[in-house]
Amino acid sequence: MIDIHGIMNCIPHRYPFLLLDRVVEMVPKKRIVAIKNVTINEQFFQGHFPGAPVMPGVLIIEAMAQAGAVLILSDVEDRASKLVLFTGIDDARFRQAVVPGDQLRFTLEVLHLRPRACKIKGIAEVDGKKVAEAVILSAMVDRP
């Protein structure tokens, strides 16, 4: 397991854009399972939507990508000098609204991995039900 401090050592994201709380399982270069506890205190709920808060789908995909970045960067020795950037999102589907009080569980599996690029299939679940899925393409680049 990797706690929030370990996640922050792996990826550069910080509040309010760090969208993971814990990694509960990881097989390097193959698979990761991560958790995001969704609370009413999230900034995006102020406007999405007042009186009927729903987590934006794009942020669910971003959280998947952050989990994928943790998976990819965890095995990189000089990860502090690297960034993992989106290069594409394929087959994204949203099946159920994510609301305050939900716990998102992200499971990502590597489909293809090269030294500077990867393709990962991600699934987001709440209470064992699939709420979103996507194939995420990313590139690892040097930080400016």
Side-chain angles (χ1 to χ4, degrees), residues 80-83 85 141-144:
S81 69
K82 304 293 183 193
L83 289 175
L85 304 176
V141 300
D142 293 329
R143 281 195 200 195

Side-chain angles (χ1 to χ4, degrees), residues 94-115:
F94 304 96
R95 308 201 181 285
Q96 180 177 313
V98 175
V99 298
D102 285 346
Q103 183 181 71
L104 278 164
R105 180 181 178 94
F106 303 104
T107 303
L108 290 94
E109 296 194 8
V110 173
L111 300 176
H112 301 287
L113 180 61
R114 295 190 177 140

Side-chain angles (χ1 to χ4, degrees), residues 53-74:
V54 175
M55 185 173 183
V58 69
L59 294 181
I60 296 170
I61 300 295
E62 171 63 27
M64 280 186 208
Q66 289 180 18
V70 170
L71 175 62
I72 299 309
L73 289 171
S74 67

Side-chain angles (χ1 to χ4, degrees), residues 11-13 17-20 32 34 57-73 83-89 106-108 118 120-124 134-139:
I11 59 175
H13 302 76
F17 215 68
L18 179 58
L19 299 173
L20 299 176
I32 190 168
V58 69
L59 294 181
I60 296 170
I61 300 295
E62 171 63 27
M64 280 186 208
Q66 289 180 18
V70 170
L71 175 62
I72 299 309
L73 289 171
L83 289 175
V84 176
L85 304 176
F86 274 131
T87 58
I89 304 167
F106 303 104
T107 303
L108 290 94
C118 66
I120 298 175
K121 168 75 175 174
I123 296 172
V135 174
I136 299 166
L137 297 96
S138 299

Side-chain angles (χ1 to χ4, degrees), residues 20-59:
L20 299 176
D21 292 316
R22 179 173 299 277
V23 172
V24 295
E25 183 182 323
M26 187 165 59
V27 178
K29 299 181 182 179
K30 294 193 184 297
R31 184 173 191 272
I32 190 168
V33 179
I35 300 294
K36 162 70 177 154
N37 295 302
V38 181
T39 74
I40 193 64
N41 296 320
E42 312 287 349
Q43 283 189 327
F44 50 80
F45 285 138
Q46 292 178 30
H48 198 269
F49 299 98
V54 175
M55 185 173 183
V58 69
L59 294 181

